[in-house]
Amino acid sequence: MATTKRKPPKTWSLLGDVKRRPSTYEVTAAKFNYHFRREPAPFEMDPAAPINLWYLANREGSPFNVEDWEGFRDPARMTYSDYVTVQHDRETYLDAVIDHHEAADSVTGLDPAWVEALTRIAVPLRFPLHILQMTALYVAQMAPSAYIINCSNFQAADEMRRVQRLAYLTKMLANAHGDAIAETATARSPWEEDAAWQPMRRMLEKMLAVYDWGQAFAVLDLVVKPTIDELVNVQLAALAERNGDDLLAQLLAEFHLDAQRSKDWTIALAQYALASDPALADTLREWVDEWIPAVDETAEAWAALLATAPNALPSGQVVEAAGRARAELLAACGL
Amino acid sequence: MPRLSRSEWYDLTRDMNWDLSYVSEDEAFPPVLSNSFGVPAHDWWVWDEPYKITYTEYVHNQAGKDAGVYSVNNVLNRSHIFDNLEPGWKAAVIAHYGAIAVAEYQAGIGEARMGRFGRAAAWRNMATFGTLDETRHGQLQTYIPYQALAKEPRLDWAHKAYHTNEWGIIAARHLFDDMFTANDAVSTAIQLTFTFETGFTNLQFLGMAADAMKAGDFDFGALIASIQTDEARHAQQGEPTIKVLVKAGKADVAQNLLDRMFWRAWKIFALLTGLSMDYYTPVENRTHSFKEFMEEFINKQFIDTFRDFGLEKPWYWDQLLNEMNWVHHAYHIGVYFWRPTVWWNPVAGVSPAEREWLEEKYPGWNESFGKYWDVMGDNVRNGHPELTLPETFPMVCNSCQVPVCTPAGYAAGYLDSPLPHILDFEGRRYTFCSEPCQWVFEQDPEQFKGHLSIIDRFLGGVIQPATIPGALEYMGLSPEECGVDGTDYAWAGPVIPAEKSA
């Protein structure tokens, strides 16, 4: 065969004359997002086709842009294969946690007052957590490089993981304490109607309508998600422990590992952007500040909801912790 | 293992549908990204995926599947298997990676669009898995060619292709952008997952995996077979979407979306898979002709699938059956003749044994398409292979972006006229290869009308200098990357009568 006779390439030609041999992580992500800043338009359609205009306005036209997004790296350097391998192990662990509690029938032994509190607090959570999944997929489809896309896709999958394990727990509670716990209305009605849930629902529905990609990233990953992760994975876990609910506490602690991975790439992305253009600190800060009243209101409503449970946490702790978690994240980002 | 079976709790993972209160439906689901086609929000909530899977099952399965494919690849990298593949099969594999690898990754954007803008939580979950799947397919199909890059520099196109303006890639981008990256969530479910994945790729991957094994390419075979198992799952997002539309009295919407994309997919399928099955796959390894494959798998089985949902054959069915006799033969001659414009090394695939096979599968082939090859063979045998190379470019269709081959269809007796279809629209003249291609354009001019085909660019001064070398440079093909005859003209040798030998 007339195979081309030339010097064997060191790597993909688009990566240039590299000194270090790129990793598997890099050769399966670098420059995959060929349509970012493509001329005359992102997609091979009429340059004025509606979706071309959408991307030009909300991605290329976002104030949150740097000269080169291809330099960003996920601190976990995760490929798809890494992701499913890591999560396969973590899910094996969670299966074992559930096996243990099923063998001990620990859900049956929970205090009925705590079960009643869980029905109001934990059962409706699959609705807001599903919105975090949706929004992560928006950030992913709009992000300028595959390195960012992959992080946000894996984050969306993590959100689905959390929703599904809480769904399983809901069914365990229903089997032990009454079928009504697993009815859709038991979750949806408070989510749609109860005053305690409305600040969170208002915030999340409004987040769904944020379409500038940088703003969607900032609202989801710098403000909303870190707050909800703290309120759910940490504060609800603390409350569960006080009520002898080790199963829920262990599940939530596991989800917090996922949340930490999301924080890591979020911080890395913000730092990368600010290093490229320090003026972006103002852009991000403006978006963050705009959403702080909504997250504060959400945290207060959530704290009030947690306070209705037995063995409630010291008053003020929940709101303060949510504020602290957000402040720490923003500080780590350099904001 | 946790005691509750999936069916006992699965519905709790998929009932997160609620009424918006703080933003309008159009604010949360803008029509440009999520066209409801007028179906009310609650009517979407019954969306029911036929294939159920949990996150836990997903990561358990996929970790095992990935380990399997990577370990086959690790073993084979130490062997000489790639070096020993037939030139035709290499052409097929190199063409495949360039056209498909990064496109599959981009399908993840289409999946993420459904994962965000799908109109039921169950659907959004399925699309979340689909997003992960397509990330996998993009990464696997770049990782594996990357391992062989030192042996075959043309595999660089697995990564580079979509950054170029090579004409086949323009055609592929035009198709795939219309299908998923630049499409709304509801249309994507029907056009990507139902029409393309259920109708074409799912079956194609089964066929290609079998052909790969026969051709001794175990690496490619394992890869494609593993990918197909993901496709079989996430392709099932189309069916429930069609059911919702049909139930809402919108069967015409589903039919229109299907008809548009089925034709578009056919054109690119004929270009990529048609050549691969009938010319590139070694003749002794072929299990069926491209036409037989289309008849059995696509036309018969797929029609049964959509008839089950109350949809019908596309209106252009007779034209499809007509093209199945000739269009990929014309494409093959075109790709071979214009081989400097492709990134792989096309093989002619017309040695005597191959011609015999072609005549058997396509009676009359020798009298029609064989004649062009007779002339090219004579030129090669007379010591003038340069006469088998182009000096100009063909007209390109403004819909499928593939060169217009109507003269070849006419000469072979399948068309009444050699002329292309012409449309004057808003002061611009558009050229189409076929009536359905024109119809596709007319269904959504806003999507297509301002797009320039590669020939529009050539004639309009976008490509400079407007010469063949200028165009090749524009296409991203360096002189050493331009395709050459994959067998060094060996195909022309055996048929030559000794006295005519130069």
Side-chain angles (χ1 to χ4, degrees), chain B residues 113-192:
Chain B
R113 180 135 326 122
M114 296 189 288
R116 164 62 184 85
F117 297 103
R119 288 174 168 267
W123 178 5
R124 295 190 289 266
N125 285 344
M126 286 302 104
T128 304
F129 291 128
T131 307
L132 294 181
D133 288 339
E134 298 297 7
T135 306
R136 173 177 195 245
H137 303 170
Q139 295 196 327
L140 268 175
Q141 289 179 97
T142 42
Y143 176 83
I144 289 180
Y146 187 75
Q147 302 310 306
L149 190 57
K151 291 175 184 166
E152 178 46 86
R154 288 180 189 279
L155 288 169
D156 192 38
W157 280 71
H159 182 249
K160 158 183 172 171
Y162 278 78
H163 282 269
T164 74
N165 283 312
E166 194 277 339
W167 69 269
I169 291 298
I170 291 178
R173 259 197 319 254
H174 195 276
L175 170 70
F176 292 137
D177 284 344
D178 192 30
M179 188 190 298
F180 47 81
T181 34
N183 204 0
D184 78 278
V186 174
S187 304
T188 300
I190 292 172
Q191 298 192 308
L192 166 63

Side-chain angles (χ1 to χ4, degrees), chain A residues 13 30-31 35 44 46 55 80 83 88 91 102 126 130 141 150 164 184 188 192 198 205 211, chain B residues 3 15 17-19 22 27 55-56 58 60 105-106 113 124 139 156 159 163 177 450-451 457:
Chain A
S13 61
K31 300 203 173 175
H35 42 73
E44 191 74 52
D46 185 328
Y55 271 76
Y80 170 90
Y83 178 77
H88 162 64
E91 285 291 281
E102 284 181 333
R126 63 182 185 271
H130 178 68
Q141 70 192 271
N150 292 343
Q164 295 203 352
T184 295
R188 182 154 63 209
E192 285 188 338
Q198 297 320 297
E205 286 187 8
Y211 291 119
Chain B
R3 289 179 188 172
D15 68 346
N17 301 303
W18 79 101
D19 286 318
Y22 303 101
E27 283 174 298
Y55 178 89
T56 316
Y58 182 84
H60 289 340
Y105 182 81
Q106 294 298 326
R113 180 135 326 122
R124 295 190 289 266
Q139 295 196 327
D156 192 38
H159 182 249
H163 282 269
D177 284 344
H451 179 265
R457 296 174 211 184

